[in-house]
Amino acid sequence: METEKIVREVNYIIIHNLDAQEAYTDAAGNVENDKLRNAMLDEADRRGGYARELQREIKDLGEDVADDTSMEASWRRIWLDFKGIFTTKDDMTIVEECKKADEEMVIAYDTILQIGEAFLPPRVYNIIKQQRKEIGLTYQALLKFHEVQIEHSVEHSVEK
C-alpha cells in the first residue's frame, strides 16, 4: 500500500469533516427551530468525531494529519456571511445548503471507498465505510425535513 496516497485521501476526508463540523455549527446558529438547531449541533459534534477518529488512524501510520478546514470552505463561509447581510435566512434555505454540502461529502466518501479495501488498511476502510453510512442517514434526514417543509408551505398556501 502506498502510505502517501492513503494519507492524502484520508486527510481529504478529514478536511471535509472539519468543514462540515464548522458548517453545521454555523447553520445551527442561524435556524429558528429548536429541534433543528439541536440536530445540527449534534451533527457538528459527530463530524468532528469522524475527523478525530480518522486523524488517530493517520497518526497510527506515523504520518501527518490534516487539522484545519479547507480554504474553499473558508471562502464559502465568508461569501455566505456576506450574502446573509442582504438576505433573510430561513430554516428551509439553511437545510438546503446543508443538504448540498452533504452531497459533496457523500461523493468524497464514495470516491475513497471506490479505491477499495486493497488500497486502504482494513481498519481505515471499515471506519470510512461506517462513517459514510451514517452521513448517508443524515443526508436522508435532511431530504425528509426539506420535503416536510415544502409540504407544510404548500398546505399553508392552499389554506389561504
Side-chain angles (χ1 to χ4, degrees):
M1 288 183 247
E2 298 177 40
T3 305
E4 184 178 307
K5 190 172 183 179
I6 293 168
V7 170
R8 184 177 62 244
E9 295 298 327
V10 175
N11 273 329
Y12 183 71
I13 296 293
I14 291 168
I15 289 168
H16 269 292
N17 276 302
L18 293 171
D19 289 347
Q21 178 185 24
E22 196 166 315
Y24 271 106
T25 301
D26 290 348
N30 289 301
V31 296
E32 292 182 21
N33 181 304
D34 289 336
K35 285 177 100 174
L36 182 58
R37 179 180 304 105
N38 290 335
M40 289 186 166
L41 290 172
D42 288 346
E43 194 60 28
D45 289 343
R46 191 172 302 119
R47 299 303 173 89
Y50 293 165
R52 287 186 299 278
E53 183 176 29
L54 290 171
Q55 287 170 329
R56 282 190 299 273
E57 293 300 318
I58 295 300
K59 284 181 185 176
D60 287 350
L61 292 172
E63 299 294 329
D64 293 330
V65 297
D67 61 359
D68 199 5
T69 60
S70 68
M71 182 58 74
E72 178 184 333
S74 296
W75 282 111
R76 176 185 275 171
R77 280 188 299 279
I78 290 168
W79 169 247
L80 289 176
D81 287 345
F82 179 74
K83 186 176 154 186
I85 294 169
F86 303 105
T87 60
T88 59
K89 298 177 185 177
D90 62 31
D91 290 1
M92 196 160 140
T93 303
I94 292 169
V95 167
E96 181 64 25
E97 288 300 315
C98 290
K99 186 174 73 73
K100 286 178 188 175
D102 273 356
E103 286 172 0
E104 294 173 21
M105 179 70 88
V106 165
I107 291 168
Y109 269 85
D110 286 348
T111 300
I112 197 168
L113 287 172
Q114 286 176 358
I115 295 167
E117 291 178 271
F119 172 70
L120 296 165
R123 181 164 165 74
V124 173
Y125 179 83
N126 290 331
I127 289 170
I128 290 172
K129 189 175 175 181
Q130 181 62 35
Q131 288 180 0
R132 164 54 178 93
K133 179 181 174 184
E134 293 171 10
I135 289 168
L137 294 173
T138 298
Y139 178 72
Q140 292 301 317
L142 288 170
L143 284 175
K144 183 68 177 166
F145 180 86
H146 194 251
E147 290 169 6
V148 168
Q149 293 303 103
I150 289 172
E151 289 171 10
H152 189 312
S153 66
V154 168
E155 287 172 4
H156 273 317
S157 64
V158 170
E159 290 173 0
K160 290 181 180 182

